[in-house]
Amino acid sequence: DGGITQSPKYLFRKEGQNVTLSCEQNLNHDAMYWYRQDPGQGLRLIYYSQIVNDFQKGDIAEGYSVSREKKESFPLTVTSAQKNPTAFYLCASSISTGGGGELFFGEGSRLTVL
Amino acid sequence: KNQVEQSPQSLIILEGKNCTLQCNYTVSPFSNLRWYKQDTGRGPVSLTIMTFSENTKSNGRYTATLDADTKQSSLHITASQLSDSASYICVVSRPGNTPLVFGKGTRLSVIA
């Protein structure tokens, strides 16, 4: 079945460590996104990518990095520079970034910093 | 400033009852508005999309309305079920490659 797969579902990290969250889609979508979700807040955009080998910063990109080497994959690295990384991270894709197309979300990755 | 405000923040209703969730936005220009349902610990799923010319759209027991003049939308849930317990997120898009604007969501709890 087509969809978006995020892994791991749960991740624990010690302070000072970098971690990478995986996001793979087989929907043949051009656009992919990473959002962060905190309790009581709306989804906030971290990074997005419209095509392979290109990506743009969202509203809260500091302390995060991404790559888009393949159309299907858009991993997110949470670096030690991110001051408050404990959150629920959601990856999404859409046919394109324009026009408000439907976002298809993964099941999320919950990161906890110990 | 482009914003989406949802109310109430949370809501508890008895199984079988109806409820209405509100979404007010200041986003301009406007392309479309979507309602997403997010079960706890999972990713959001699109319920319905409203474009400028649409006033009402139904998806099973879910009915969304849009008043583009007053920039208000509502999501009405009929004959609620326990499985309706979730967060409902209103998302507004603008034309072109501009980021979506998300509301903070309404957390609905349906109890027996």
Side-chain angles (χ1 to χ4, degrees), chain B:
Chain B
K1 186 177 180 181
N2 292 303
Q3 289 185 317
V4 174
E5 300 287 340
Q6 292 188 243
S7 63
Q9 188 173 14
S10 62
L11 182 62
I12 301 174
I13 62 172
L14 291 174
E15 186 179 13
K17 298 296 185 183
N18 304 336
C19 67
T20 300
L21 313 180
Q22 298 289 345
C23 173
N24 297 339
Y25 60 94
T26 59
V27 179
S28 182
F30 173 88
S31 179
N32 62 53
L33 182 151
R34 287 184 185 271
W35 284 93
Y36 285 83
K37 178 186 179 187
Q38 183 178 22
D39 292 321
T40 300
R42 307 193 68 175
V45 176
S46 178
L47 288 174
T48 185
I49 176 175
M50 305 292 291
T51 58
F52 188 86
S53 59
E54 296 174 308
N55 298 120
T56 303
K57 183 175 286 185
S58 292
N59 177 6
R61 294 180 297 101
Y62 300 102
T63 299
T65 66
L66 175 67
D67 185 333
D69 291 330
T70 63
K71 297 187 176 181
Q72 296 180 326
S73 176
S74 67
L75 180 68
H76 184 76
I77 304 175
T78 303
S80 61
Q81 301 176 358
L82 297 178
S83 60
D84 292 330
S85 296
S87 288
Y88 292 83
I89 302 171
C90 177
V91 184
V92 179
S93 67
R94 292 164 286 177
N97 292 327
T98 52
L100 302 173
V101 185
F102 286 79
K104 294 182 178 181
T106 292
R107 175 166 291 279
L108 174 65
S109 298
V110 180
I111 59 175

Side-chain angles (χ1 to χ4, degrees), chain A:
Chain A
D1 288 349
I4 298 183
T5 301
Q6 287 188 241
S7 64
K9 179 72 172 175
Y10 299 96
L11 185 61
F12 296 89
R13 186 195 93 176
K14 293 182 179 179
E15 284 191 17
Q17 290 181 334
N18 294 351
V19 294
T20 298
L21 308 181
S22 170
C23 178
E24 303 278 333
Q25 55 101 356
N26 59 5
L27 299 168
N28 199 32
H29 285 170
D30 287 321
M32 296 188 74
Y33 313 78
W34 274 105
Y35 289 93
R36 170 177 172 145
Q37 188 174 37
D38 295 285
Q41 295 198 39
L43 273 68
R44 292 184 290 169
L45 182 63
I46 304 173
Y47 269 98
Y48 65 102
S49 169
Q50 300 177 67
I51 56 173
V52 174
N53 293 323
D54 188 49
F55 47 83
Q56 286 77 41
K57 292 182 179 180
D59 300 320
I60 57 167
E62 185 176 352
Y64 300 97
S65 66
V66 294
S67 64
R68 187 87 185 276
E69 297 178 0
K70 300 185 301 181
K71 185 175 185 177
E72 301 80 13
S73 180
F74 192 42
L76 173 74
T77 297
V78 184
T79 75
S80 57
Q82 167 51 233
K83 296 287 188 287
N84 185 20
T86 294
F88 189 54
Y89 291 89
L90 285 162
C91 179
S93 72
S94 63
I95 293 176
S96 69
T97 55
E102 182 179 356
L103 290 179
F104 293 81
F105 286 89
E107 290 295 283
S109 293
R110 185 168 298 280
L111 172 63
T112 301
V113 174
L114 304 174

